[in-house]
Amino acid sequence: MGFLNDLGLDGLSITLIGLGILLVLVLFAGAKTVPQGYNFTIERFGKYTRTLKPGLNLIVPFIDVIGKKINVMEQVLDVPHQEVITRDNATVTANGVTFYQILDAASAAYEVTNLEHAILNLTMTNIRSVMGSMDLDSLLSNRDEINDRVLRVVDAAVSPWGVKITRIEIKDIDPPSDLVDSMGRQMKAEREKRATILEAEGRRQAAILKAEGEKQAQVLEAEGRREAAFRDAEARERAAEAEAKATQLVSEAIAAGNVQAINYFVANNYIKALEKVATSPNQKLLMLPVEASSVIGAIGGIAEIARETFGAEKPVQPRATSRPPASAPSAAPPPAQD
């Protein structure tokens, strides 16, 4: 007071200064800053009144107090390993993670005690329920279905607490070691079965293709034989027509009194017959029980025909050979050896 008196301040001034300092202290006590990602609940005489959002907020000092500081960011909660018995009595161990976010800070603060513990127990219980209602094979192959079913159930259960379950993921599903060995043997047997089936299918397809190829070859061969027979028949028909034409011409020549045509026709056929007999592959010895004069006469007829054809002046006379006596047998020529 002596110091204030020395400054020349009276009692009213001192009172006003004290009130100003008190007002500043009250303002500092009533100003609250909420960080981003958090919501603060305000309690007045122990009763919830409102929720402070991120930023600068004012409360009534010494009357309103901060109740709960709630993290409204998305959070992750580890689900520990637990044993689960499947519908076919197989025991497996499973764990996972749960992602959740608080949407209503007041409900999360005052509707449940120990929110994380409650969410964790709900998640573990529903994982056991969902996985226990499935067979082991379905359990191992339908993990997405397990996640969806557990998520729907847990999210519906925590909605009164102002919490949203955004994701539940099963991380590991570990069957017992003996069961893993059995599954490995089963998978190996299944793959061997598939390999055997595929091999049998391959052999069956190969047999079918081979049979189809043989059938096609036989069809083509038959078509070839048919075409060849048709060509042979056509050739024989043309040869017969030519022979008939030649016979007709010879007949017309005979009818006209041309003796040389008769001699040519007979000699030509005679020579062709001898040629076929002589060139036969089975013929080793050729006997000619014919008179030489007959052949020479036929050759003479051919020569006369050639003379008339080419216009020679003098006929070519064949060399005469004496016929052996009729009583003596004709000497056969020596056999021709190959």
Side-chain angles (χ1 to χ4, degrees):
M1 294 295 293
F3 175 75
L4 294 176
N5 291 328
D6 293 338
L7 293 176
L9 297 175
D10 54 4
L12 180 61
S13 298
I14 295 172
T15 303
L16 292 176
I17 292 173
L19 290 176
I21 294 173
L22 181 61
L23 180 61
V24 171
L25 294 176
V26 169
L27 289 176
F28 273 105
K32 298 297 179 182
T33 302
V34 180
Q36 185 67 38
Y38 284 85
N39 285 348
F40 292 172
T41 61
I42 301 300
E43 298 176 357
R44 179 174 296 176
F45 303 116
K47 181 181 179 181
Y48 167 78
T49 57
R50 61 193 177 97
T51 300
L52 300 183
K53 301 298 181 181
L56 180 62
N57 297 270
L58 295 177
I59 62 174
V60 178
F62 313 113
I63 296 177
D64 293 340
V65 296
I66 296 176
K68 302 289 182 180
K69 296 180 179 181
I70 305 299
N71 185 352
V72 296
M73 295 181 289
E74 188 171 1
Q75 303 176 64
V76 60
L77 186 63
D78 287 327
V79 179
H81 284 84
Q82 59 177 334
E83 290 188 352
V84 179
I85 300 176
T86 62
R87 188 170 60 182
D88 51 356
N89 296 323
T91 302
V92 298
T93 302
N95 66 338
V97 290
T98 300
F99 295 85
Y100 70 94
Q101 185 176 13
I102 297 175
L103 302 180
D104 188 352
S107 298
Y110 302 109
E111 296 294 335
V112 62
T113 301
N114 198 343
L115 177 63
E116 289 187 357
H117 183 70
I119 295 174
L120 179 61
N121 280 275
L122 271 174
T123 304
M124 294 176 64
T125 302
N126 284 279
I127 286 176
R128 285 196 299 269
S129 299
V130 173
M131 296 178 66
S133 64
M134 303 174 67
D135 294 331
L136 179 62
D137 293 338
S138 300
L139 187 68
L140 297 175
S141 59
N142 297 322
R143 187 172 297 189
D144 291 338
E145 180 183 353
I146 298 173
N147 296 337
D148 292 338
R149 291 174 60 182
V150 175
L151 175 62
R152 289 196 301 267
V153 175
V154 176
D155 185 52
V158 301
S159 59
W161 304 339
V163 178
K164 173 66 177 176
I165 304 297
T166 58
R167 197 179 190 91
I168 293 179
E169 294 287 343
I170 303 297
K171 291 197 297 185
D172 300 317
I173 299 177
D174 301 324
S177 58
D178 56 345
L179 189 58
V180 173
D181 295 338
S182 300
M183 292 170 61
R185 291 193 298 270
Q186 179 183 1
M187 181 183 64
K188 182 179 179 181
E190 184 68 24
R191 292 187 180 275
E192 290 178 352
K193 174 185 174 183
R194 283 192 218 165
T196 304
I197 292 174
L198 290 176
E199 185 177 357
E201 286 289 338
R203 288 197 298 268
R204 174 177 174 271
Q205 190 67 21
I208 291 175
L209 293 177
K210 182 179 179 181
E212 288 289 340
E214 292 177 353
K215 175 184 175 182
Q216 190 68 19
Q218 292 175 0
V219 170
L220 293 177
E221 185 179 357
E223 289 288 339
R225 290 196 302 268
R226 176 175 174 271
E227 185 67 21
F230 178 77
R231 298 291 183 182
D232 291 342
E234 185 177 2
R236 289 194 299 270
E237 181 180 356
R238 296 290 178 86
E241 289 179 357
E243 186 70 20
K245 185 67 175 177
T247 304
Q248 181 182 358
L249 293 177
V250 172
S251 300
E252 291 177 355
I254 293 172
N258 192 345
V259 180
Q260 287 79 8
I262 300 175
N263 293 333
Y264 173 77
F265 184 74
V266 173
N268 187 29
N269 290 336
Y270 187 82
I271 295 301
K272 287 182 178 179
L274 289 178
E275 181 183 358
K276 290 182 180 179
V277 173
T279 58
S280 175
N282 297 326
Q283 184 66 33
K284 301 301 181 182
L285 181 61
L286 179 63
M287 304 296 294
L288 297 174
V290 294
E291 296 181 358
S293 60
S294 300
V295 179
I296 293 173
I299 294 174
I302 295 173
E304 186 175 352
I305 293 173
R307 182 183 60 78
E308 293 180 358
T309 302
F310 294 103
E313 296 180 356
K314 295 182 179 181
V316 179
Q317 297 292 334
R319 186 173 59 183
T321 57
S322 61
R323 178 179 297 182
S327 60
S330 60
Q337 298 294 332
D338 290 340

